[in-house]
Amino acid sequence: MNRKHTFLLLAMAICVLLGVQASAVTALGQAPGQGQKPIQVITPIQSDTTRTLSTLFSPATSEKKAPDSKGFIQRWLVLEPIKKDIARNNIFTDNYLRNTIYSNNFSTDFLIVPKDGAKTKVGDRELKWYALDSKIFNFKLYRFAYAVNKPQNGVLFWLVTVINCEEEIKNLRLSAGCNSAGMFWLNGKEVLMLSGDRDMVVDNCTSSRLTLNKGKNIIRGAVINGPGMIDFCVRFIDEKGLPIKNYTISCE
Amino acid sequence: MKMKTAGATTLLSLLLTGTLMAQVGRPFIHDPSTIVECDGKYYTFGTGSGGLISSDGWTWNSGAVRPGGGAAPDAIKIGDRYLVVYGATGGGSASGHKGSILTMWNKTLDPNSPDFKYTEPIVVASSDGYEDCDAIDPGIMLDPTTGRLWLTYGTYFGFIRLAELDPKTGKRVEGNKAVDVAIVCEATDLIYRDGWYYLLATHGTCCDGANSTYNIVVGRSRSITGPYLDNTGRCMLEGGGKMVVASGGRVTGPGHFGRMILEDGVEKMSCHYEADLDQGGRSVLAIRPLLWKNEWPVAGDNFKEGTYEIESERRGYALELVVDFVRMPRTMRGFGQNTNEPIKPVPSQELSDVIHTWPTGNINVRIGDYMFRPHQKWTITAAPDSSGYLGGPYYKIVIAGTDRALAATADAEVVTVPAFTGAPEQLWRIDQLTDGTYRIMPKVVPGSNKKLALISIGDSTPTLAEFDMNSDNSKWNFKAH
């Protein structure tokens, strides 16, 4: 979800390279006059460039986890990203999403729960699953990709988690926000699509009314992005839009 | 039946109302800074190294000068100097999310002034390319309650951050640590009103012309450091935000908010549209009324040319000519008559039915019960001389179907003259007020330097007097029936 800047900088760079500052001035409503001074760019004192998962994630344990205080699901199995040739984030129409996501599916069995560390083949690429708990309410896939030294731009991520209910829960909705677009399935059924160039906004889009079964329920997700930040957040909400928290989360 | 009525009303509105006008001249800009006045002219800077100048706030052309390049500046007048702040890069992947925010001063914004000289830019914030922040898109606010100077900056890549600057030097306050106040937005700007700090931010897709989904949202907090919550209680650190302005008409992608308080009850907001389809789809400067509804800011609509009832907010009566009321054929039927007769519509009274009864010279105006009669319908169009004020052109106001024009008189009253001549007392400024009603002011009152507005001094009596935001006598509505 990085919009402004690629195009603007490209335009600015071209202007400089071609030495057509006057043209750029006219185009942007600028006047000739004072020459540009060298830009004073601050040198970062210390950059945390460490490729580590531990900043934002911890390994999921076998102990079942509760959703956080606002009901966000922080435990997910995440597959290393599938690289896609996506230059801009304005292409994620409903059809594009469905075609791209289904054609890059790791399994047509939407009830499958991969093992932590297992490898899955998508196309000709072998990718690894990670079972992780996010330390914040949302799950920053961009940071995950950086940590595991995989591409962060132009990527498709597959996600799986398991919701464990002691009793059936009716009339709830799966609620998600993602950057930029994605799809979610519950127990094998497609329940939510977030198309377009979206921001990761809490409760940005919800499913129709759903039922969580007693026992295990499988959420599958796919989140896709071109350049820039990629992340998502998911929770269940009730009829009043309040979070539902009476379940646990596991990766098996 | 309800749908049919609504459809008919919509159609009528379309027929009666005209175009929504954007700024004129060559108002092409992206990421305009908050508009600042300097020595009687208005200035705004954009991405790149320059900006726009206007002598009246309506016609804008290139000419403003800002060195440093980069993107998305903001500007503010502090004391007798102007502080300009900008991002050194355009952000995003191209810069590796490594950015810096710089400030610089100038005694004047007029590039032709001998005093025009920017100070050396000072870096006040930065991002290292790895952290969850990309230091671009600065916005600055001088807190009217404390005199402290605040900077927000950042874009979609991570957090929007709040930092404190020294209003005397423009430097970062020593030891100040930035605070995260929002995510998933850019082009932020802080404003203050009645005990609330409001954080304006731009969401959506930028830089895609007619397909850009840019829009401006807001959250608010009692504390400058947040949390900034929207109308649903959702924090801007969760992506929250209440819509202030989105695409509409033939303009898409409003972004990069700036606020101007002209006087009590009269506020404007600046932004750019990603694409104005009437101006070749180019990115243009926009100036719109800023309204406050239930203590939330929302963009008003620039006045649309059209034919209207001009309704006084005082009692709800309508501005009209002082002419004899011409009765329509009696349609009242006696009780107990046959109700099975065919129903035939009754035509409205037309101008041709009554104009021969009107005097041909000046005709006074009053305010009366609105009966959708020809002497109560006013056609309002931009004056042909393209003169204007901040955010709008002067208008001529004539009785629909005629050239009979509303005019101010030397004794501060209002009258209609038989024909519009373009004289300044026949030109009218129309500002939407912060409560959504309108102020109507003549460009000049002959023989007077006073700024007077159209007022309801009695339920039925219009006059010209000083505008008072706290009085409904000063307010009007335009109704397209």
Side-chain angles (χ1 to χ4, degrees):
Chain A
M1 182 71 84
N2 173 17
R3 300 104 186 230
K4 169 183 298 186
H5 313 102
T6 306
F7 267 34
L8 281 182
L9 274 189
L10 182 61
M12 288 157 62
I14 289 171
C15 290
V16 170
L17 287 172
L18 297 179
V20 289
Q21 191 176 15
S23 302
V25 159
T26 306
L28 290 172
Q30 304 160 0
Q34 208 164 324
Q36 290 194 9
K37 296 176 180 177
I39 293 171
Q40 186 182 353
V41 179
I42 202 165
T43 304
I45 298 169
Q46 186 178 9
S47 297
D48 180 7
T49 60
T50 314
R51 292 187 187 273
T52 174
L53 284 166
S54 62
T55 306
L56 283 175
F57 309 99
S58 54
T61 64
S62 57
E63 189 175 337
K64 288 176 180 171
K65 177 179 174 59
D68 81 354
S69 61
K70 289 189 171 181
F72 290 104
I73 298 167
Q74 297 165 293
R75 174 168 291 179
W76 292 89
L77 279 152
V78 188
L79 185 61
E80 288 175 337
I82 300 166
K83 187 78 182 89
K84 303 300 297 178
D85 185 18
I86 305 169
R88 288 181 63 85
N89 295 320
N90 57 0
I91 60 171
F92 300 129
T93 62
D94 294 47
N95 273 329
Y96 175 94
L97 277 186
R98 190 163 278 115
N99 291 337
T100 303
I101 289 173
Y102 278 103
S103 63
N104 288 272
N105 195 357
F106 69 91
S107 171
T108 55
D109 178 1
F110 280 80
L111 299 179
I112 196 169
V113 180
K115 300 285 185 195
D116 182 24
K119 294 197 172 174
T120 296
K121 209 162 186 190
V122 180
D124 58 354
R125 287 161 290 197
E126 193 170 64
L127 304 169
K128 183 180 173 184
W129 285 96
Y130 290 77
L132 298 171
D133 290 347
S134 174
K135 294 180 178 178
I136 55 179
F137 78 94
N138 53 334
F139 201 106
K140 293 200 171 184
L141 294 166
Y142 184 97
R143 296 298 177 197
F144 164 76
Y146 180 81
V148 298
N149 202 14
K150 296 293 179 185
Q152 298 115 61
N153 297 305
V155 282
L156 165 63
F157 289 91
W158 281 104
L159 318 161
V160 177
T161 196
V162 180
I163 304 297
N164 307 286
C165 298
E166 290 189 359
E167 301 293 339
E168 181 182 80
I169 309 174
K170 288 186 173 178
N171 293 326
L172 48 66
R173 296 172 191 266
L174 187 144
S175 171
C178 72
N179 181 351
S180 282
M183 294 178 70
F184 289 89
W185 298 258
L186 177 65
N187 295 331
K189 181 184 173 189
E190 180 185 320
V191 295
L192 187 59
M193 171 180 282
L194 297 97
S195 57
D197 180 12
R198 287 179 183 269
D199 301 320
M200 199 289 303
V201 173
V202 167
D203 297 337
N204 187 232
C205 202
T206 76
S207 69
S208 55
R209 290 178 181 81
L210 300 172
T211 297
L212 281 175
N213 301 324
K214 181 179 180 180
K216 288 187 177 182
N217 299 267
I218 314 296
I219 300 177
R220 171 89 76 91
V223 176
I224 192 168
N225 193 48
M229 185 59 73
I230 171 168
D231 55 353
F232 71 96
C233 64
V234 173
R235 65 178 174 176
F236 288 104
I237 58 173
D238 65 13
E239 294 275 21
K240 294 180 178 176
L242 299 174
I244 289 176
K245 298 185 283 187
N246 55 335
Y247 60 84
T248 61
I249 313 156
S250 63
C251 280
E252 53 191 22
Chain B
M1 189 59 102
K2 192 174 180 181
M3 289 173 64
K4 192 172 181 180
T5 306
T9 305
T10 304
L11 179 61
L12 191 58
S13 296
L14 288 171
L15 290 172
L16 289 172
T17 57
T19 55
L20 177 69
M21 302 185 72
Q23 308 303 302
V24 298
R26 297 185 69 77
F28 308 125
I29 196 166
H30 202 274
D31 308 319
S33 61
T34 300
I35 292 170
V36 177
E37 189 176 0
C38 174
D39 296 330
K41 291 184 178 178
Y42 298 101
Y43 294 81
T44 181
F45 303 102
T47 287
S49 61
L52 303 174
I53 301 179
S54 175
S55 57
D56 64 1
W58 172 235
T59 301
W60 292 82
N61 287 293
S62 62
V65 175
R66 177 185 67 82
D74 200 9
I76 189 172
K77 186 176 185 183
I78 300 176
D80 58 356
R81 294 183 300 163
Y82 299 87
L83 182 65
V84 176
V85 54
Y86 63 97
T89 70
S93 307
S95 62
H97 308 295
K98 185 185 288 188
S100 55
I101 306 294
L102 301 98
T103 63
M104 56 188 179
W105 296 92
N106 207 324
K107 289 179 182 173
T108 176
L109 298 180
D110 179 0
N112 297 316
S113 167
D115 292 330
F116 183 79
K117 185 181 181 186
Y118 281 104
T119 59
E120 202 62 32
I122 301 165
V123 174
V124 294
S126 64
S127 57
D128 63 14
Y130 296 94
E131 62 190 297
D132 268 3
C133 182
D134 193 344
I136 65 163
D137 281 13
I140 40 178
M141 182 194 73
L142 191 65
D143 187 334
T145 66
T146 63
R148 295 167 75 177
L149 183 62
W150 298 98
L151 162 76
T152 53
Y153 62 95
T155 180
Y156 299 98
F157 191 80
F159 294 103
I160 302 300
R161 287 187 168 152
L162 172 80
E164 185 173 4
L165 307 183
D166 184 334
K168 292 187 176 67
T169 64
K171 294 179 180 176
R172 183 78 168 265
V173 166
E174 195 171 341
N176 171 252
K177 292 188 76 172
V179 177
D180 297 334
V181 290
I183 58 169
V184 297
C185 56
E186 60 186 13
T188 54
D189 196 33
L190 280 166
I191 62 176
Y192 175 86
R193 186 178 190 265
D194 292 343
W196 289 101
Y197 295 94
Y198 294 86
L199 180 61
L200 285 294
T202 305
H203 274 248
T205 306
C206 173
C207 312
D208 196 16
N211 300 305
S212 297
T213 60
Y214 242 21
N215 59 84
I216 298 173
V217 302
V218 63
R220 68 183 184 182
S221 173
R222 292 290 187 187
S223 166
I224 187 75
T225 54
Y228 288 88
L229 308 182
D230 68 12
N231 54 322
T232 69
R234 185 170 42 182
C235 184
M236 292 182 83
L237 284 166
E238 296 177 338
K242 182 181 188 298
M243 189 66 72
V244 175
V245 58
S247 300
R250 283 174 51 78
V251 290
T252 66
H256 221 93
F257 177 91
R259 178 200 194 191
M260 294 148 281
I261 303 174
L262 306 191
E263 55 191 282
D264 184 26
V266 188
E267 298 188 19
K268 307 282 182 182
M269 58 162 283
S270 61
C271 63
H272 73 261
Y273 295 127
E274 288 284 309
D276 181 343
L277 301 188
D278 290 329
Q279 300 200 61
R282 298 176 75 169
S283 177
V284 300
L285 175 68
I287 301 172
R288 295 177 65 151
L290 182 63
L291 315 187
W292 290 90
K293 291 186 176 176
N294 301 320
E295 299 185 311
W296 288 97
V298 61
D301 290 318
N302 288 330
F303 186 79
K304 294 177 183 173
E305 295 180 326
T307 296
Y308 297 96
E309 170 198 358
I310 302 177
E311 181 201 63
S312 166
E313 180 74 358
R314 171 184 166 116
R315 189 175 173 101
Y317 286 170
L319 193 70
E320 64 179 26
L321 298 181
V322 178
V323 292
D324 277 352
F325 181 80
V326 177
R327 293 177 58 79
M328 291 176 61
R330 182 177 166 83
T331 55
M332 183 67 188
R333 295 168 58 82
F335 299 107
Q337 291 196 15
N338 180 9
T339 57
N340 293 324
E341 292 176 358
I343 296 172
K344 296 178 182 174
V346 175
S348 294
Q349 189 177 76
E350 300 295 335
L351 179 66
S352 57
D353 298 332
V354 297
I355 194 168
H356 63 279
T357 70
W358 297 355
T360 54
N362 288 3
I363 301 178
N364 288 334
V365 290
R366 65 187 170 205
I367 316 170
D369 292 306
Y370 187 67
M371 299 290 288
F372 53 97
R373 301 300 170 89
H375 69 296
Q376 299 176 314
K377 295 179 181 176
W378 301 88
T379 294
I380 305 174
T381 53
D385 68 351
S386 296
S387 62
Y389 45 88
L390 193 63
Y394 282 103
Y395 291 94
K396 72 171 185 177
I397 303 176
V398 299
I399 287 291
T402 77
D403 203 26
R404 175 171 291 283
L406 190 68
T409 68
D411 55 354
E413 301 293 351
V414 279
V415 68
T416 61
V417 295
F420 175 78
T421 65
E425 66 270 21
Q426 297 173 18
L427 303 179
W428 296 86
R429 171 177 179 156
I430 300 173
D431 289 293
Q432 193 173 26
L433 304 171
T434 51
D435 64 2
T437 62
Y438 289 83
R439 180 181 69 175
I440 305 171
M441 300 178 74
K443 185 175 183 181
V444 301
V445 177
S448 170
N449 291 325
K450 286 187 176 176
K451 272 182 62 180
L452 302 181
L454 187 63
I455 303 293
S456 303
I457 193 66
D459 290 342
S460 294
T461 311
T463 189
L464 298 176
E466 289 191 5
F467 171 75
D468 179 1
M469 182 61 190
N470 296 313
S471 169
D472 282 350
N473 292 357
S474 294
K475 302 174 183 177
W476 301 83
N477 299 297
F478 296 93
K479 292 192 167 178
H481 295 281

